[in-house]
Amino acid sequence: MDDVVYIIDDLKTHDYGEFEWLWHPGGTWKKRGADVTVTQGDASVVIRPLYPRLLALSDFVHDYPEDLYWEAISAPTEDLKGTETYYSFHLPGKFDRIKGVTAIILKDSVAQKELPVMERREGKGWIGLRIRNKGKVTDIYINQLADGRLMHSNSWIEADGWVTDAYMFAVSYPEGDNPTEADELFLAYGSALRRDGVSYFASLSKLFFVQKAAGGDLNLWVDGQPYVNASFRSGKRPSRLIVNGEAMHVNYQNGLLDVKYKK
């Protein structure tokens, strides 16, 4: 989303143990605070661990006993003709279940200084992020009840007024605007999204979708089921409805678009 790749590690083990993330950077590595910048030629990315902990802010890792600490490890290259250095991020303590979220920020140039500002947020049954970047806000929510641990109970959460059973969802909107007016929505493995008694998405079976409004068009990318029977909220009747690249008839009533689609 917006030149940022979010890697989610949703892990559970049979016994308590230590977790670490191994990074083979393939370029020049430089740590700045909680970020790591990797550069090779004209290309550059920033690695930013966000959950379960940030990277310790300084080399005095003992000042940050709960944050990730790191070590450089020398090992043979893949072709066994030399050695390379890779890096290990260690999570202090022993755990049997973790939610890991790492952002990889794709920089436009090596000299780019302005980076997205990311705020860690959480509530009952969820963790998430609020990202501010170039006048745009994106709220990401990860449902901790929808990770498979519940077998005979619904995985509904309430997050900032949103109610959903989705594993993950995100809304993007201009800074200062109301999130309910978002032109971009993303939802992963869910059957409904509601707020203040208003339906923003409803499906007979769980789906993945991306919804973007541009001009008079509404674009939907939908996956997860061979047959789709769902409704999506739109503030106004779109002039065109495009689903997975195909133009479809606009069936619009009471602020909702009814979509029936067969893959």
Side-chain angles (χ1 to χ4, degrees):
M1 288 185 280
D2 298 322
D3 294 332
V4 182
V5 179
Y6 297 94
I7 299 175
I8 299 174
D9 297 306
D10 197 341
L11 305 172
K12 186 180 187 306
T13 60
H14 293 290
D15 198 359
Y16 284 83
E18 297 177 350
F19 287 87
E20 59 182 307
W21 285 258
L22 305 180
W23 294 91
H24 297 257
T28 302
W29 163 290
K30 188 172 181 61
K31 182 180 178 297
R32 293 184 177 89
D35 290 346
V36 170
T37 300
V38 178
T39 303
Q40 185 182 63
D42 296 330
S44 184
V45 300
V46 172
I47 300 170
R48 180 178 293 174
L50 295 160
Y51 284 99
R53 300 294 304 175
L54 301 175
L55 196 59
L57 291 176
S58 76
D59 292 339
F60 298 102
V61 295
H62 297 294
D63 292 339
Y64 306 91
E66 296 182 353
D67 289 344
L68 298 175
Y69 64 97
W70 63 97
E71 62 176 323
I73 301 171
S74 181
T77 56
E78 188 172 351
D79 60 11
L80 303 179
K81 294 181 179 180
T83 60
E84 66 174 351
T85 299
Y86 68 91
Y87 296 84
S88 172
F89 294 172
H90 293 265
L91 178 63
K94 292 187 177 182
F95 305 87
D96 67 342
R97 182 189 293 270
I98 62 163
K99 292 286 196 301
V101 181
T102 304
I104 299 181
I105 303 168
L106 312 178
K107 296 174 66 175
D108 293 330
S109 68
V110 174
Q112 178 184 336
K113 300 296 183 183
E114 185 178 354
L115 297 174
V117 176
M118 298 177 181
E119 174 189 355
R120 287 162 34 108
R121 307 172 68 241
E122 60 184 283
K124 185 178 180 180
W126 63 273
I127 59 174
L129 298 169
R130 174 161 288 165
I131 301 102
R132 291 181 169 87
N133 187 26
K134 300 177 181 178
K136 180 179 179 180
V137 178
T138 298
D139 293 331
I140 299 176
Y141 304 89
I142 300 172
N143 185 346
Q144 298 199 85
L145 304 181
D147 57 6
R149 73 180 73 185
L150 299 180
M151 298 299 294
H152 302 290
S153 181
N154 291 326
S155 56
W156 292 91
I157 58 166
E158 187 277 327
D160 293 338
W162 299 103
V163 178
T164 187
D165 64 344
Y167 175 74
M168 178 169 54
F169 74 99
V171 294
S172 295
Y173 50 94
E175 193 157 11
D177 281 10
N178 193 317
T180 61
E181 304 299 325
D183 287 333
E184 299 180 36
L185 290 171
F186 161 72
L187 184 138
Y189 197 63
S191 65
L193 178 65
R194 308 182 190 118
R195 182 163 175 155
D196 300 325
V198 176
S199 175
Y200 286 78
F201 162 69
S203 171
L204 295 178
S205 54
K206 289 194 173 185
L207 298 176
F208 299 76
F209 76 86
V210 176
Q211 176 178 334
K212 288 189 178 183
D217 294 349
L218 186 73
N219 285 274
L220 286 170
W221 292 267
V222 185
D223 200 0
Q225 301 289 342
Y227 297 94
V228 173
N229 188 348
S231 61
F232 301 84
R233 184 156 200 84
S234 176
K236 59 183 180 180
R237 180 186 179 91
S239 56
R240 287 199 309 162
L241 172 63
I242 303 170
V243 180
N244 292 354
E246 299 179 14
M248 294 189 62
H249 172 69
V250 178
N251 185 359
Y252 182 77
Q253 294 182 11
N254 302 320
L256 292 172
L257 286 159
D258 290 329
V259 175
K260 294 183 179 180
Y261 182 84
K262 178 180 178 181
K263 292 184 67 176

